């Protein structure tokens, strides 16, 4: 469900095709769930080698997300110093830098063949193919994002987040 909601938010943020932004009358992101269902059903039929590579590939994506979040924290501390922060990080900015450096190091080591962190040749190819697909989607939807204000983007991405 989280993956389908993420697809819906990315579509509302004009990063993915508009069809994924739809919900049914109960607020369920049906098109996103169908995409996740199709991928989940197809996965087991691809063989254990592919499943292993998918697991390694997704771990690289997980580390990349932590890396980006860590460096985003550091950047936001400088670009938005007055932003309301409901959570204080132990160690402050030093913790952000530490997390950024460590996750960057792990990310790099995941792609070095003799490293103990190496994710495998197939997973590396899948990772770069996934990044290429992401770039194509991002740039192909650039026209939809052009001209939107920051408030409009926030409203689209976080629509109905505060409803219960």
């Amino acid at each position: 469900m989280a993956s389908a909601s993420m697809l819906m938010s990315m579509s509302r943020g004009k990063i993915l095709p508009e069809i994924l932004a739809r919900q049914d009358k109960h607020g369920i992101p049906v098109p996103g769930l169908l995409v996740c269902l199709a991928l989940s059903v197809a996965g087991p039929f691809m063989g254990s080698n592919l499943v292993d590579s998918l697991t390694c590939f997704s771990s690289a994506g997980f580390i990349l997300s932590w890396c980006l979040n860590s460096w985003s924290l550091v950047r936001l501390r400088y670009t938005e110093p007055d932003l309301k922060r409901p959570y204080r990080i132990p160690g402050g900015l030093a913790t952000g830098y530490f997390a950024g450096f460590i996750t960057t190091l792990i990310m790099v080591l995941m792609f070095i063949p003799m490293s103990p962190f190496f994710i495998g040749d197939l997973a590396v190819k899948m990772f770069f193919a996934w990044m290429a697909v992401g770039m194509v989607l991002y740039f192909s939807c650039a026209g939809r994002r052009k001209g939107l204000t920051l408030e409009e983007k926030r409203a689209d991405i976080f629509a109905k987040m505060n409803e219960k």
Side-chain angles (χ1 to χ4, degrees):
M1 190 66 176
S3 297
S5 295
M6 184 176 67
L7 289 173
M8 181 184 64
S9 293
M10 290 175 72
S11 178
R12 288 180 174 174
K14 314 295 189 251
I15 296 172
L16 293 177
E18 201 169 332
I19 192 168
L20 294 171
R22 297 183 186 155
Q23 293 177 309
D24 69 0
K25 64 181 179 179
H26 303 291
I28 297 171
V30 175
L33 281 175
L34 291 174
V35 169
C36 293
L37 173 69
L39 293 172
S40 297
V41 168
F45 296 104
M46 301 298 175
S48 63
N49 191 28
L50 182 64
V51 173
D52 288 343
S53 294
L54 278 171
T55 303
C56 291
F57 153 70
S58 63
S59 69
F62 181 75
I63 295 297
L64 178 62
S65 69
W66 275 101
C67 183
L68 292 173
N69 276 297
S70 301
W71 290 118
S72 295
L73 175 140
V74 170
R75 183 170 183 261
L76 278 173
R77 295 293 168 150
Y78 290 110
T79 60
E80 300 282 343
D82 298 325
L83 190 66
K84 181 182 173 189
R85 294 179 170 89
Y87 175 74
R88 293 189 60 86
I89 299 167
L93 195 55
T95 300
Y97 273 111
F98 178 74
F101 286 125
I102 294 299
T103 54
T104 300
L105 176 65
I106 292 171
M107 191 70 199
V108 169
L109 289 174
M110 292 179 105
F111 294 94
I112 297 174
M114 295 307 284
S115 160
F117 293 99
F118 184 58
I119 59 176
D121 292 329
L122 181 58
V124 168
K125 291 173 188 171
M126 291 168 65
F127 181 84
F128 286 112
W130 191 253
M131 292 295 115
V133 167
M135 298 283 280
V136 167
L137 287 171
Y138 181 79
F139 288 115
S140 68
C141 294
R144 292 176 52 211
R145 289 188 304 276
K146 198 173 280 188
L148 291 177
T149 66
L150 185 58
E151 289 77 28
E152 289 172 322
K153 288 178 186 176
R154 285 182 180 158
D156 284 345
I157 293 170
F158 299 113
K160 299 187 179 186
M161 284 285 273
N162 295 327
E163 293 180 10
K164 293 199 177 197

